[in-house]
Structure formats: C-alpha cells, structure tokens
Amino acid sequence: MAEAGRVVIIGWDCAPPQLVLDQWLDDMPNLKQLVEGGAAGRIRSTDPPITVPAWTSMLTSVNPGQLGFFGFRNRRVGEYDSKWIANNTAVNFPRAWDILGDAGKRCCMVNVPQTYPVKPVNGILVSSFLTPDTTCEYTYPAGLGKQLDAIADGYMIDVDEFRTDDKRDLLERIYLMTDKRFKVSKALMQVDEWDFFMMVEMGPDRLEHGFWKYCDPEHPKYEPGNEFETAMLDYYVHLDEQLGEFIALAGDDAAVFVVSDHGGKAMQGSFCINDWLIEQGLLTLNQPVDGITRFEADMVDWEHTTAWSWGGYYGRLFINVEGREPQGTVPKADYESVRDDLIARIEAIADPEGRMMDSRVLRPQDIYTGEHVDEAPDLMIYLDDLNWRLGQDVGNEGLYAFDTEIGPDDSVHDYHGMIAARLPGERQLTIGPDTHVMDVAPTVLEVLGEPIPEHMEGRSLL
Ligand SMILES: [Zn+2]
C-alpha cells in the first residue's frame, strides 16, 4: 500500500454535523466531493466538548485528565480566586506535528488553538486565539508576522468581542478574519515545502455564537424573515469555496481531512447556577447583592459554603473541602456523599416550565485517566444535554436567564463535531459511532507511514 505523501487538515471550529453534513452538503460541492470520495461522519469531542481541550486532545491523543486542563480557564486546586489560562505552555504531550517533525517531516500550522506562546517546530507555526495580539511574537520562526501582515493586509487572529449586538459589524469582521487566514494559509502552502499542513478557522464558532438564533427556526429567539436568516449557510458556502481551493493547492497525493473539535446547537437559555446554590443553602454570600453581580471569591462567606460554580457551556462545580480549601467545610469523609447529593439535586433541576431537564453530572474520576484527574472540577455539569449553559453571576431575578453574563450568545456546544476525509489511492478511513477526536493523531501518523506511539495504539481510523 502506498503511503500518502502528505496530509492536510482543515479545522472548522465548532462545525456542527447536523447542519454541515446532513442539511447543507448539497450547497457545499467541495465538501460533498470529499465526502463522496472518502468517508465522513460524526466525531465525539472531549469531555468537556470545548475548544480547549478538544483540539489538543485531538492532536496528542490524550484526555484532559492527562493534559491537566478542562477549559482555557482553570482553577488551582485549593485556591478560591486563582485562575490560570491553559495556553501552549500547559501542553506537555507531543502533538502529531512534534512526532512528525522528529521524524524529519516538515509541518506547517496556522491558528491551531493552544499554540501561543510558540514552541519550535520542524517547519512553520502561526499561533492562535490565546495570543494577546499581533504585536506579540506569534510565529515560528520568529518574525514572520510582518510577511503575514503584508500578505493579508493586516493579519487577524480572532474577532474581538464576538458577543456583541452589532451583528452587521460582527459578520463583516468574521468574513474579514476568515479571508485573511485563508490568504496567509494559501501563501504558506505554496511557498513552504510541507508533509503536514494544518489550519484551523475560528470563524464558524464565532458565527454560530453570534447568529444561530437568526438561522434556526427551532431557536427560542428565532424570528422568521430576519435579515440574517441565511448568514450561517452563506458563510459555510464561503468556507466550502476556500476548501475547494485548498484541496486543489494541496495536490492529488495529499490526504485531506476536514474536522471540527465539537459541534454546536441552539442555546435554550442560561441557568444561574450560583444563585441556585444560594437558594439550596449550599453557598452563602457575606451580604446580599444588589442586582446582577459578577461572582467573585471575596463575596463568599466560605465558612458557611459547601459548593460554588463556574459557568460556561458546561458547569464546573467545586466543593469546599476541609484540608483542601483554605476555609473548607466538607470533611473528606463526607466528600462522596456530598457529591452524590449534589448530583441528585442538579439532575432534578427542571426547566422554566417545570419539565424535567435531561442533565448529566459527571465525576471526573469516572471519565478520565491520568495524573491530573484530581485537578478537575469536583463535578462537571451538562445541563439539559448541553442545551442550557450555566451562568455564574449572582443576584439574577429568578434562576433562568436568556442572555449570558458576558454578552449575547445564541448557541451552545454539542458532543459531536464532524469529520470528512479522503485518502489518495485505495485506502479508506472507517468512521463509526465510536470515532473520537483522540483518533485523529494516530490516523495522521499512520497515513504518513510513521509508527504510532504506544498510548495511541488501537485508535487509528485506517
Ligand atoms: Zn471550538
């Protein structure tokens, strides 16, 4: 069997299979051709299904309990108010491109999440959305930024403040960013010799959070005939045109993967988890707050608090454990019974109409392996099958909100992203119900004829 000469991965952050593969494929001829000439389907994201850790789990084939981060914001165990950001310095496992680079293969990466600050690669790296701005050193080799600015007439890493009400402006900026990234990626693809080329576009994620309600008749805030009715489809058609150019530039000997890190779907609302904990008598504030207030550690009466939470597309629940937290109240001996009680209470949360939600509360020890499992939140909350996000602000009127504490947002994440891949020659990938983002790195290595490290064994899709 001939090995593929080269591999290209095009990442569409947040691309949802139910739209891209099931509804819109006929409008995306280049993706359709890839699907028909190769294999495609759903790909299970990490737990939690969010950008950090999903892309890094995809490229290292290790789970968040091994990686040691559970979002881009992370808590230091035993501290009430510390947060650290999981950027590239937090990634201590080799990604597929590190393994390929060690084997002498040239790799070019553009905008893959968690690549700032840049580390040396055997090739070129342009970092991604946790880069403060383009005045920082965000390329390897250093100093490429000027060339990228010249190619793209000012390179853009991300759209600032995508949770905004100025939708026309947001849409314009998303297209601008996508086109600049595409220009830069095309140029690098043409000037550099490469065996592995990967680019990730954040536009789909920003678009879906900003525009889902305009495009999905099932969304609670949808209004028929609005001016952005086709904004999501139009953008994916645009991405598909770029995909066609990419595939043509990559050449016939390249294996091509289009993949997303997780899916997306309509947000039903935001549940005020800390207000709920207060109501349950599990969280006590030093004094009542006046109106919606950002939750901060220094407003908590820790000696009378059992648990507190961080919000987001999944909820992170922390227990105030004696001997672990500075003013812990829950004896270690009671830890499991307190967790069980919290799980039962959260799984009994009903929606605003009083209907049962389909919620899942996970113990990290049940889903992860690795030395960092105990750095995970004590419980991870998927409220109503992820249809509801969790809001951490306190002082809300009632427990159900429909805007987030960080601005308007219309969509949540979903467990499954999409994958479509075509290999040259006769080879085919097997994509099935168990296909997981952690299967991507070993597949790439095998396609390129490199040995698969022990920890990735059994995961290749070939
Ligand atoms: Zn993402």
Side-chain angles (χ1 to χ4, degrees):
M1 274 189 287
E3 282 154 13
R6 306 190 288 176
V7 166
V8 180
I9 300 181
I10 295 116
W12 290 343
D13 195 291
C14 208
Q18 76 276 20
L19 297 179
V20 176
L21 293 179
D22 300 347
Q23 279 191 41
W24 294 342
L25 198 57
D26 284 338
D27 299 297
M28 302 175 72
N30 296 300
L31 182 66
K32 190 176 181 183
Q33 205 179 8
L34 191 72
V35 169
E36 288 177 346
R42 287 163 198 245
I43 186 165
R44 179 61 159 84
S45 185
T46 41
D47 288 295
I50 53 180
T51 305
V52 175
W55 286 109
T56 298
S57 205
M58 184 189 295
L59 289 155
T60 57
S61 200
V62 299
N63 74 66
Q66 294 162 287
L67 290 167
F69 41 81
F70 308 90
F72 72 86
R73 292 178 306 148
N74 292 275
R75 175 186 174 235
R76 274 183 231 291
V77 176
E79 294 178 19
Y80 288 130
D81 58 357
S82 72
K83 281 190 184 81
W84 64 276
I85 300 292
N87 64 18
N88 201 16
T89 53
V91 180
N92 295 314
F93 285 81
R95 292 174 168 103
W97 64 69
D98 298 311
I99 297 168
L100 293 168
D102 286 346
K105 294 205 158 36
R106 229 177 127 75
C107 302
C108 182
M109 284 69 63
V110 179
N111 204 48
V112 181
Q114 280 189 291
T115 48
Y116 182 85
V118 294
K119 295 177 192 170
V121 295
N122 184 31
I124 292 175
L125 187 137
V126 179
S127 74
S128 59
F129 82 108
L130 295 173
T131 308
D133 58 52
T134 53
T135 63
C136 302
E137 194 50 79
Y138 70 103
T139 67
Y140 182 90
L144 275 181
K146 277 206 179 78
Q147 289 173 50
L148 303 185
D149 279 341
I151 293 163
D153 190 19
Y155 181 64
M156 260 172 93
I157 292 168
D158 200 355
V159 288
D160 296 329
E161 288 163 30
F162 63 93
R163 292 184 181 95
T164 166
D165 284 315
D166 191 347
K167 299 294 181 183
R168 268 192 215 130
D169 177 61
L170 175 63
L171 194 58
E172 216 170 275
R173 289 187 288 130
I174 291 172
Y175 271 88
L176 193 65
M177 166 181 71
T178 299
D179 289 351
K180 286 176 188 291
R181 183 125 45 236
F182 179 53
K183 271 188 187 159
V184 157
S185 302
K186 264 196 334 187
L188 291 174
M189 191 175 242
Q190 286 172 292
V191 299
D192 195 50
E193 293 288 318
W194 51 271
D195 303 290
F196 173 83
F197 194 106
M198 178 167 184
M199 71 158 292
V200 174
E201 180 48 52
M202 283 308 284
D205 180 89
R206 304 320 188 208
L207 180 95
E208 288 164 33
H209 289 302
F211 291 89
W212 200 293
K213 73 174 176 204
Y214 299 101
C215 308
D216 178 5
E218 305 290 313
H219 194 287
K221 291 197 227 168
Y222 172 77
E223 286 174 21
N226 71 75
E227 68 171 305
F228 301 114
E229 185 99 44
T230 62
M232 282 175 48
L233 171 59
D234 294 344
Y235 177 78
Y236 273 96
V237 169
H238 188 69
L239 281 183
D240 185 69
E241 288 164 9
Q242 301 182 357
L243 175 66
E245 289 187 37
F246 246 97
I247 294 174
L249 273 180
D252 291 339
D253 65 333
V256 179
F257 294 71
V258 180
V259 63
S260 61
D261 53 336
H262 52 78
K265 57 185 176 178
M267 181 190 294
Q268 298 302 315
S270 186
F271 184 74
C272 306
I273 184 72
N274 283 323
D275 278 338
W276 177 83
L277 286 167
I278 292 169
E279 203 182 273
Q280 297 281 311
L282 299 168
L283 168 61
T284 307
L285 301 185
N286 292 320
Q287 54 195 55
V289 292
D290 186 17
I292 298 174
T293 308
R294 198 187 162 107
F295 177 78
E296 303 282 3
D298 63 7
M299 61 173 67
V300 177
D301 175 0
W302 291 107
E303 284 174 14
H304 298 96
T305 286
T306 301
W308 76 103
S309 185
W310 286 7
Y313 302 119
Y314 87 106
R316 303 188 223 193
L317 200 114
F318 304 106
I319 296 175
N320 195 23
V321 180
E322 232 175 57
R324 189 185 74 179
E325 272 66 39
Q327 291 161 270
T329 58
V330 175
K332 284 211 169 102
D334 296 346
Y335 180 74
E336 289 302 341
S337 61
V338 168
R339 277 213 297 194
D340 290 345
D341 174 59
L342 281 161
I343 292 171
R345 292 198 208 199
I346 295 164
E347 289 183 347
I349 292 171
D351 77 3
E353 275 77 48
R355 285 186 295 250
M356 276 297 290
M357 283 186 173
D358 181 16
S359 300
R360 294 169 59 206
V361 186
L362 307 176
R363 295 178 187 86
Q365 291 75 10
D366 293 339
I367 54 169
Y368 297 138
T369 56
E371 57 177 307
H372 298 290
V373 175
D374 293 338
E375 293 161 33
D378 294 294
L379 290 169
M380 300 166 56
I381 306 168
Y382 295 169
L383 202 67
D384 195 30
D385 211 24
L386 296 171
N387 289 310
W388 282 73
R389 78 185 289 284
L390 292 114
Q392 66 191 35
D393 285 2
V394 289
N396 292 276
E397 266 181 50
L399 299 176
Y400 304 92
F402 293 89
D403 277 316
T404 77
E405 62 273 37
I406 41 179
D409 193 337
D410 304 344
S411 71
V412 287
H413 288 187
D414 208 349
Y415 306 105
H416 286 85
M418 49 99 32
I419 180 168
R422 184 211 65 198
L423 306 184
E426 299 296 305
R427 294 199 292 179
Q428 239 345 331
L429 298 188
T430 305
I431 292 165
D434 298 327
T435 298
H436 193 280
V437 290
M438 280 164 57
D439 303 341
V440 171
T443 305
V444 167
L445 295 177
E446 190 174 354
V447 166
L448 287 171
E450 290 302 323
I452 294 175
E454 203 176 334
H455 75 273
M456 298 187 192
E457 267 169 22
R459 284 202 164 271
S460 171
L461 299 171
L462 265 175

